[in-house]
Amino acid sequence: MFGRKRTPEKNQQHSQTKKEYDPSVYKPVLKCSICNGEQVAGFKNRETGKFEEIQFIRNEQELAQFLKNYGLDTIEKEY
């Protein structure tokens, strides 16, 4: 209402760029709620265990896009 709406082209360009993370420090994790089924993709620090949320996952397409963005084949689920 008060801000400018993003055009679809900007959103697509942003989501298509391959992003990087340091696999020696972080591991990719999909946090899943056993109560309501919500899923959040992000990275967990291997030393501290702190989870950094990156994206809320609502369907298989969003999960596939997250995996593609970071060049991942699989992701570990945590409940």
Side-chain angles (χ1 to χ4, degrees), residues 19-61:
K19 301 171 185 170
E20 296 183 7
Y21 72 100
D22 186 357
S24 65
V25 178
Y26 296 100
K27 70 176 182 177
V29 173
L30 185 64
K31 292 276 244 179
C32 305
S33 171
I34 59 173
C35 297
N36 56 19
E38 288 184 348
Q39 297 180 338
V40 178
F43 295 97
K44 186 173 184 178
N45 188 306
R46 293 180 186 275
E47 290 183 20
T48 64
K50 183 178 178 185
F51 180 73
E52 181 182 338
E53 296 180 0
I54 302 295
Q55 181 180 348
F56 184 73
I57 304 295
R58 293 177 292 229
N59 54 43
E60 290 296 320
Q61 291 80 18

Side-chain angles (χ1 to χ4, degrees), residues 5-17:
K5 291 184 179 180
R6 292 185 182 182
T7 61
E9 297 82 28
K10 288 183 183 178
N11 289 340
Q12 288 177 353
Q13 288 175 352
H14 181 69
S15 66
Q16 291 178 356
T17 58

